[in-house]
């Protein structure tokens, strides 16, 4: 089942001894229900490049895939380290997510998915990230 949704993504990045950085993105997307799994798909523009994002959401396991202007694969398993990748102008970088917390709540007309994780790029810690996805049925 495919449903048009309005998506709000709030990203919070925390670094030691610094104020948190907070970014918000609003997009129109599609919620796809397939074999008891929920996928959120939306497009955005970053640095004048189109980026397509797919988020596979779950209560203990999730995946964020980005393609286009940014190519990235971020896997999440609660209380576990996972290896992903980020394709940068310097080549393919290996990233590690250590998922601290994950919640997924969905009802008939909207949903809320949150993942909190530590991110390492090429073995170096780059911060603690929180991704909060809210989506609501409709395209208004």
């Amino acid at each position: 089942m495919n449903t048009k949704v309005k998506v709000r993504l709030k990203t919070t990045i925390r670094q030691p001894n610094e104020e948190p950085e907070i970014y918000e993105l609003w997009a129109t997307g599609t919620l796809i229900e397939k074999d008891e799994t929920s996928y959120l798909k939306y497009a955005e523009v970053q640095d004048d490049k189109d980026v397509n994002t797919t988020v596979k959401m779950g209560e203990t396991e999730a995946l964020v895939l980005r393609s286009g202007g940014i190519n990235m694969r971020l896997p999440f398993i609660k209380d576990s380290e996972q290896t992903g990748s980020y394709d940068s102008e310097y080549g393919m970088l290996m990233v590690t997510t250590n998922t601290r917390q994950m919640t997924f709540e969905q009802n008939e007309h909207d949903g809320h998915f949150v993942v909190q994780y530590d991110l390492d790029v090429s073995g170096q810690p780059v911060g603690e990230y929180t991704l909060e996805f809210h989506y609501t049925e409709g395209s208004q």
Side-chain angles (χ1 to χ4, degrees), residues 100-115:
R100 298 167 170 247
Q101 186 179 340
M102 189 181 312
T103 57
F104 178 45
E105 298 166 354
Q106 182 170 272
N107 62 38
E108 198 175 335
H109 300 291
D110 63 356
H112 184 215
F113 173 69
V114 180
V115 61

Side-chain angles (χ1 to χ4, degrees), residues 19-87:
E19 287 293 312
E21 295 175 53
I22 298 173
Y23 303 95
E24 272 198 351
L25 165 81
W26 291 88
T28 301
T30 306
L31 177 68
I32 300 163
E33 302 281 346
K34 186 174 167 187
D35 300 330
E36 297 184 24
T37 303
S38 297
Y39 299 88
L40 194 56
K41 294 182 93 164
Y42 63 91
E44 64 183 284
V45 177
Q46 270 194 10
D47 302 325
D48 295 326
K49 295 178 183 161
D50 292 329
V51 178
N52 295 306
T53 301
T54 301
V55 184
K56 178 183 175 186
M57 301 174 290
E59 292 181 23
T60 58
E61 202 170 324
L63 179 65
V64 175
L65 293 172
R66 301 177 102 187
S67 62
I70 296 174
N71 291 302
M72 182 175 74
R73 182 179 178 279
L74 283 182
F76 303 102
I77 294 180
K78 197 170 180 177
D79 301 321
S80 173
E81 267 191 18
Q82 294 294 302
T83 302
S85 59
Y86 177 79
D87 204 356

Side-chain angles (χ1 to χ4, degrees), residues 12-16 18 21 96-100 116-121 123-130:
T12 306
I13 305 169
R14 290 179 179 82
Q15 310 261 345
E18 289 185 29
E21 295 175 53
T96 304
T97 59
N98 187 350
T99 306
R100 298 167 170 247
Q116 183 182 35
Y117 60 98
D118 295 322
L119 182 66
D120 289 4
V121 177
Q124 298 299 309
V126 294
E128 177 189 297
Y129 285 65
T130 303

